[in-house]
Amino acid sequence: MIEIQNLTKKYGQIVAVNNISFNVNKGEIVGFLGPNGAGKSTTMNIITGYLPSTAGTVKVDGYDIMTHPSEVKKRIGYLPEAPPLYRDMTVTEYLKFVSNLNNVPKKNQKGQMADIMELVGLTDHRKRLIDNLSKGYRQRVGLAQALIGNPEVLILDEPTVGLDPKQIIEIRRVIKALSQERTIILSSHILPEVSAICERVVIINKGIIAAEDTPERLSMGLDQTLKLSLTIMGPKDKVIETVKKINGVKYMEEAGMAGEKSYKYILEGISEKNDIREKLFYAMAENGWPLLEVKSSVMTLEDIFISVVTKGQEV
Amino acid sequence: MFTVAKKEISTYFKSPIAYVLIGLFMLMISILFYTPFSVGSGDFMVVLKNMGFFLVFLVPIMTMRILAEDRKNGTEVLLLTSPTSLTSIVLGKFFAMYFVFLVITVLSMIYPIIQFAFGGVLTVQLVGGYIGFLLLGASFVSIGVFASALTENQIVAAIISFVSLLIMWMADAFSTQVSNSFIASVMGWLSLLSRYNVFTNGILGLPEIVYFLLFTALFIFLTIRVIERRRWVQG
């Protein structure tokens, strides 16, 4: 549905997006993840035809944005980072204006607007001035605006930013409901959001794609390395020395004092097959160092994100 | 085009801008109308001539927000990513502004009507003069819209259009001061005032009509180009 090939965008000397390529299939919901300034919004602005690219092509449903802009724009509903609202209009007036901009036939407008307002929960606020709405409701108006004209593709730039937790859950529910019949690209720097909604994640950093996969597979790729947090009562140096002798331990680090004689440690680089917890227990017992705490944790999408992003920086 | 124009017109008449502008304009032409009569002249052309000069102040205030505000508020994204073409968006904005100008023009016609009611003569020249005024207004509005496309700051837009209008208005007066005949003729050619005076002197000049229409079309075209170019140059 969306094909992006070798897309590059330069602002003068600054390269905002550097030669990225990815595809989004029909009906898919893709999360676009990256730290601030990674090039997420720029990429979205190019896909929607707001900005031209410096090089590379974007095709939506087979139409190139440069050669057939109106065909592409017809198929895309766009919610930019800051919802493009006219504050002196009421919700209904505004959506009517957007309907006309999108050439929605007059006879369909009323029904479509009513459906959309119902979906995003604006029906009770339809007669209010946008200026008087709270940020959460304005965001809903922005989302409603993107849905006008029933576009096949939705591009949502940080749709839940600035909302309270309850509103975030509600907006996510709406997006999830929309994804049944639409292709969606959604950007975010909030990771649980992406893993909650998206089928596929594209991590972008400094204008290049750092990783691309399903949230599950991305986690699995790094889940091979389990993390253990330990608290052991005993002399620090000797404990580290002993633990490092255990087969399979690659990295151990002291993480501060836990009590008078006990220290906290973090163990990384342990594979799931080679569970060292048992060996660890006996090794400590032999030396008479009580093992006060053993906590194993799986690396979350957050850790993956940070590791992918920092790896990118080293290169 | 119609969608954008309709929306802009309703924005103007929902906010105080339109009423303040119309009020100010009416105040000024009322004073102007009164003055020659108090000294016994009945020529409305004098008023019409000066109404043109008022536009130099009025149009920049009227047009300053038309594109600058969209850019500032981010609503430009909505317009540019909609299937509506940039040309029809800009034309819509231009015609919305021209509509506000037309309202002002129509209101100013009260005075010739008063004159007529009290035994004045409604001359063909006056009709010609008004045609000139409408054409002058179109060219002024096009410059105002153009200036508004240049910046996201409304005040800057107003200053740019005010200064350009003032220079074009006075180009004629300046040109007599310039010794270089080429520059003088260019300035004379630029002068909107001298072309407008053709109308207020009672002549319906075809070259002048063409001049004003081309002038307006040129600045609408430039507005589109400026927005298009900005998309390429920056974010």
Side-chain angles (χ1 to χ4, degrees):
Chain A
M1 193 72 189
I2 305 172
E3 299 159 53
I4 295 166
Q5 261 170 26
N6 307 325
L7 190 71
T8 300
K9 175 71 186 177
K10 289 179 190 163
Y11 295 126
Q13 292 298 309
I14 303 157
V15 184
V17 175
N18 192 359
N19 201 20
I20 68 168
S21 304
F22 67 93
N23 289 333
V24 181
N25 301 323
K26 206 176 165 90
E28 212 177 7
I29 169 160
V30 169
F32 211 44
L33 205 64
N36 295 328
K40 297 182 302 251
S41 297
T42 303
T43 309
M44 292 184 144
N45 277 334
I46 295 170
I47 299 174
T48 53
Y50 178 53
L51 293 177
S53 60
T54 311
T57 56
V58 174
K59 279 185 185 169
V60 176
D61 206 9
Y63 292 100
D64 192 313
I65 182 73
M66 296 304 280
T67 53
H68 298 87
S70 68
E71 287 297 327
V72 173
K73 288 171 182 175
K74 230 190 278 176
R75 287 167 170 76
I76 292 181
Y78 182 31
L79 170 64
E81 211 170 344
L85 308 174
Y86 288 107
R87 296 191 167 193
D88 58 339
M89 291 176 136
T90 66
V91 174
T92 313
E93 280 171 347
Y94 173 71
L95 293 180
K96 191 149 186 277
F97 173 64
V98 178
S99 302
N100 285 328
L101 269 184
N102 283 288
N103 305 320
V104 178
K106 283 262 184 294
K107 60 177 170 30
N108 300 346
Q109 284 185 4
K110 258 206 166 125
Q112 193 180 82
M113 276 161 56
D115 291 346
I116 290 169
M117 284 193 280
E118 192 62 48
L119 183 70
V120 299
L122 274 172
T123 311
D124 296 338
H125 295 74
R126 65 183 183 279
K127 285 179 185 160
R128 290 184 60 179
L129 272 185
I130 292 174
D131 202 24
N132 296 339
L133 293 177
S134 69
K135 193 165 164 51
Y137 276 98
R138 282 187 200 156
Q139 193 74 22
R140 289 178 201 221
V141 179
L143 187 60
Q145 165 273 124
L147 295 172
I148 293 275
N150 210 4
E152 299 160 63
V153 179
L154 283 180
I155 311 274
L156 310 173
D157 197 352
E158 309 208 347
T160 57
V161 78
L163 303 186
D164 69 39
K166 191 170 162 273
Q167 291 170 327
I168 289 180
I169 292 168
E170 246 177 277
I171 291 279
R172 276 187 205 159
R173 179 189 55 78
V174 171
I175 294 172
K176 198 104 195 189
L178 290 171
S179 68
Q180 315 238 307
E181 30 194 275
R182 288 183 180 81
T183 309
I184 301 179
I185 298 183
L186 168 139
S187 87
S188 180
H189 56 255
I190 307 161
L191 301 142
E193 180 162 290
V194 171
S195 54
I197 318 179
C198 300
E199 292 161 6
R200 199 149 60 89
V201 181
V202 174
I203 299 180
I204 179 170
N205 185 39
K206 298 204 162 173
I208 54 172
I209 292 180
E212 183 189 346
D213 217 326
T214 62
E216 293 79 22
R217 294 237 307 266
L218 272 178
S219 338
M220 255 165 59
L222 287 159
D223 258 354
Q224 308 284 329
T225 53
L226 219 68
K227 214 162 83 175
L228 285 184
S229 313
L230 309 171
T231 309
I232 301 166
M233 194 186 272
K236 190 169 63 182
D237 300 337
K238 281 185 181 171
V239 168
I240 293 179
E241 202 182 306
T242 317
V243 175
K244 278 192 172 166
K245 278 182 194 155
I246 299 171
N247 195 15
V249 177
K250 284 180 195 146
Y251 178 77
M252 183 176 187
E253 184 184 68
E254 188 218 327
M257 288 188 73
E260 213 174 306
K261 285 176 186 167
S262 54
Y263 295 88
K264 286 183 176 172
Y265 305 91
I266 288 174
L267 273 177
E268 275 178 29
I270 305 150
S271 73
E272 220 159 321
K273 288 169 206 149
N274 178 22
D275 193 341
I276 64 151
R277 280 176 295 184
E278 198 182 328
K279 288 178 199 160
L280 185 73
F281 171 78
Y282 286 118
M284 293 298 111
E286 250 170 54
N287 289 294
W289 299 323
L291 202 51
L292 300 181
E293 190 187 6
V294 178
K295 204 167 75 189
S296 71
S297 54
V298 174
M299 281 179 99
T300 60
L301 202 55
E302 198 119 4
D303 300 316
I304 299 160
F305 176 64
I306 288 164
S307 86
V308 165
V309 165
T310 42
K311 231 186 274 165
Q313 275 164 347
E314 279 159 18
V315 173
Chain B
M1 185 174 96
F2 186 62
T3 305
V4 176
K6 208 171 112 191
K7 186 247 146 203
E8 289 300 336
I9 291 168
S10 90
T11 302
Y12 264 84
F13 286 97
K14 259 194 286 179
S15 74
I17 324 168
Y19 303 102
V20 170
L21 282 177
I22 292 170
L24 273 177
F25 191 75
M26 288 312 285
L27 178 71
M28 289 195 284
I29 66 167
S30 303
I31 295 169
L32 258 183
F33 179 69
Y34 176 75
T35 325
F37 278 87
S38 56
V39 297
S41 157
D43 192 0
F44 191 74
M45 284 305 201
V46 180
V47 180
L48 206 56
K49 219 177 237 181
N50 286 303
M51 271 164 63
F53 184 59
F54 287 160
L55 289 183
V56 173
F57 301 93
L58 220 72
V59 169
I61 301 168
M62 182 169 97
T63 55
M64 65 182 188
R65 57 158 290 280
I66 192 76
L67 288 160
E69 195 183 46
D70 272 309
R71 205 168 140 203
K72 183 106 187 168
N73 292 349
T75 40
E76 190 190 53
V77 185
L78 175 72
L79 299 175
L80 292 183
T81 60
S82 77
T84 307
S85 73
L86 181 58
T87 307
S88 44
I89 291 166
V90 171
L91 280 177
K93 299 247 175 195
F94 170 79
F95 283 119
M97 288 296 84
Y98 198 61
F99 180 82
V100 178
F101 167 77
L102 283 181
V103 171
I104 292 174
T105 310
V106 168
L107 285 174
S108 78
M109 287 175 183
I110 314 176
Y111 292 109
I113 291 169
I114 291 175
Q115 260 184 318
F116 182 63
F118 286 89
V121 192
L122 204 59
T123 57
V124 185
Q125 279 88 337
L126 185 62
V127 176
Y130 259 107
I131 291 174
F133 187 67
L134 290 176
L135 289 167
L136 183 76
S139 62
F140 274 30
V141 168
S142 72
I143 291 178
V145 171
F146 173 70
S148 188
L150 293 175
T151 167
E152 60 173 38
N153 187 318
Q154 298 187 23
I155 306 296
V156 173
I159 292 170
I160 293 173
S161 48
F162 171 67
V163 171
S164 352
L165 288 177
L166 200 62
I167 288 173
M168 286 185 193
W169 190 255
M170 304 202 300
D172 215 25
F174 286 144
S175 67
T176 56
Q177 307 289 319
V178 179
S179 52
N180 186 320
S181 66
F182 175 70
I183 296 176
S185 67
V186 168
M187 285 174 81
W189 188 83
L190 264 179
S191 170
L192 294 172
L193 174 67
S194 60
R195 313 242 166 205
Y196 180 51
N197 281 345
V198 173
F199 290 96
T200 51
N201 289 335
I203 301 158
L204 197 62
L206 186 65
E208 280 71 28
I209 294 177
V210 174
Y211 174 85
F212 277 121
L213 290 178
L214 278 181
F215 189 96
T216 307
L218 174 71
F219 273 93
I220 293 174
F221 174 74
L222 286 178
T223 307
I224 297 168
R225 296 310 303 163
V226 160
I227 298 173
E228 193 65 33
R229 182 178 172 277
R230 202 183 56 228
R231 288 176 57 218
W232 285 91
V233 173
Q234 46 163 324

